[in-house]
Amino acid sequence: MASVAKIAANERRKVLVARWAARRAELKRVIAHPSTSAHDRAAAVSALAKLPRDGSATRVRNRDAADGRPRGHLRKFGLSRVRVRQMAHDGQLPGVRKSSW
């Protein structure tokens, strides 16, 4: 089980990402647009660098919804591989059966 602090930090990052998403997208659009002048592009890069680091979507970690495990996350279930196996064996995941051949 992940520590409560790590889970809370990840939740704070999600809030920051949502808050700064529009501003980051606008600056990235200015940077990527071919007709932007060099001066405007440099200003946009500088402004992007000044935004909070945790406002970037790549800083958010996919975690197990049940216990916060950061590794082995299966996006389809929102759970870690360990939790998916445990819940599937207990019959708690509808439509999931243990494979046997």
Side-chain angles (χ1 to χ4, degrees):
M1 174 142 185
S3 71
V4 176
K6 290 286 188 178
I7 295 170
N10 202 45
E11 293 303 316
R12 284 193 305 270
R13 282 189 198 103
K14 287 180 184 178
V15 171
L16 275 176
V17 167
R19 182 183 307 158
W20 292 101
R23 178 69 175 144
R24 292 181 68 83
E26 172 66 22
L27 290 172
K28 286 185 177 188
R29 188 187 58 76
V30 169
I31 292 168
H33 200 274
S35 65
T36 304
S37 68
H39 182 266
D40 290 341
R41 183 173 284 120
V45 168
S46 176
L48 187 63
K50 289 180 183 176
L51 292 180
R53 193 175 269 186
D54 280 345
S56 174
T58 59
R59 303 273 291 195
V60 176
R61 180 79 184 196
N62 287 330
R63 290 186 172 268
D64 185 333
D67 65 1
R69 180 180 166 83
R71 300 201 179 200
H73 181 267
L74 300 176
R75 190 178 298 255
K76 181 176 180 178
F77 298 100
L79 301 168
S80 68
R81 61 182 176 77
V82 177
R83 184 66 57 168
V84 167
R85 185 171 189 268
Q86 178 187 11
M87 290 177 77
H89 282 231
D90 293 341
Q92 296 176 349
L93 295 177
V96 176
R97 290 179 42 182
K98 186 172 184 290
S99 176
S100 175
W101 61 88

